[in-house]
Amino acid sequence: MATKTALITGTSRSAGLGFAVARQLAEHGYHVILTARDQSAAEPLAERLRQDGHAATALRLDLSDRAGMDEAAHHLAETFGHLDVLVNNASVMPDFRVLDALDADMDALRSAMDVSVIGPWALTQALLPLLTAAPAARIVNVSSLSAQQIATGLDLGAPLRSPAYSMAKYMLNALTTVLARALADTPILVNAVDPGNTATHPERGDDASDRPAAESAYDIVKAATLGADGPTGQLFADGRSAA
């Protein structure tokens, strides 16, 4: 039987959601590929998983570098020949303290869109031959509660917090639907998951109510391991469809 493989973007921090997802997928028997812009940041995390008896590899992947994506796809094709799971987890929040759309910085918006929308779109294209080579691949886009500020409509006069980040995650949800439709005639399922407020930045002072990364990772892993009769093109939050 071919080895099940899963690639997770944005796995450079031990407290991060990406690493929690990687660990849980490894526990499900996947060979996990941990990626980061700097491979030296992902390698120690892959080594931790290997020391725990799991199959794990670190790989450099910069979502702003299309040539680098193609190189990664070529490497994976030679090494594994297929990809069962793609988790688009990498994210940036360049306007954490901005509280109004009229104060949005366009450079911050471009940065957020590059990582949360254009990057996952381009990566899906680059990895599509590997995803279609798998029996029934799964693509999971990690969304955010911030996107719901736009999706559910803002009350008149209400501010749009972190406007660049929120808009990028909203567009990622839209991309999820677009990709699901494009792949409707294949066994590939594409869904987005809002992991909720998660304690991934202890150095920044996480709120006491934030969920542990391992708890938030559960719904992402669930979407990554859906059966053949699972949904596609959906946004999930707290295990339920939020679409």
Side-chain angles (χ1 to χ4, degrees):
M1 180 182 294
T3 300
K4 294 188 296 182
T5 57
L7 185 147
I8 307 97
T9 67
T11 50
S12 61
R13 303 173 62 256
S14 60
L17 183 59
F19 184 52
V21 170
R23 178 175 288 282
Q24 291 184 24
L25 284 172
E27 291 170 351
H28 277 74
Y30 287 80
H31 184 126
V32 291
I33 301 115
L34 287 68
T35 73
R37 286 177 296 178
D38 183 350
Q39 184 171 336
S40 66
E43 183 57 52
L45 303 183
E47 177 60 24
R48 283 174 58 176
L49 293 178
R50 290 193 293 267
Q51 289 177 352
D52 290 340
H54 302 301
T57 301
L59 186 66
R60 178 188 177 277
L61 189 61
D62 185 340
L63 294 180
S64 66
D65 178 6
R66 182 56 193 260
M69 294 183 201
D70 291 338
E71 289 177 9
H74 179 72
H75 170 77
L76 294 173
E78 289 193 329
T79 306
F80 301 106
H82 70 283
L83 182 65
D84 297 278
V85 172
L86 168 60
V87 179
N88 288 308
N89 168 73
S91 184
V92 293
M93 185 181 279
D95 57 346
F96 180 70
R97 301 185 186 281
V98 179
L99 303 179
D100 194 290
L102 295 178
D103 295 325
D105 181 274
M106 292 299 104
D107 288 335
L109 177 59
R110 290 187 185 93
S111 174
M113 293 292 285
D114 279 344
V115 175
S116 291
V117 184
I118 298 172
W121 199 339
L123 183 60
T124 299
Q125 289 181 331
L127 297 178
L128 188 57
L130 291 165
L131 292 164
T132 55
R138 303 290 178 256
I139 300 173
V140 185
N141 296 325
V142 180
S143 185
S144 169
L145 182 66
S146 296
Q148 299 307 301
Q149 297 179 87
I150 303 169
T152 59
L154 294 169
D155 294 333
L156 187 63
L160 176 61
R161 296 178 179 272
S162 303
Y165 174 79
S166 300
M167 183 62 72
K169 288 298 187 180
Y170 176 76
M171 292 302 297
L172 179 64
N173 292 347
L175 176 63
T176 300
T177 302
V178 168
L179 293 177
R181 289 175 179 170
L183 295 167
D185 293 332
T186 77
I188 300 173
L189 303 181
V190 188
N191 291 289
V193 175
D194 170 9
N197 293 328
T198 306
T200 57
H201 287 279
E203 79 286 351
R204 198 168 65 192
D206 292 316
D207 292 336
S209 60
D210 288 351
R211 298 196 298 182
E215 184 177 334
S216 291
Y218 175 80
D219 285 341
I220 297 171
V221 172
K222 182 178 178 181
T225 55
L226 286 170
D229 59 347
T232 191
Q234 298 294 306
L235 168 65
F236 293 94
D238 293 325
R240 299 183 299 274
S241 175

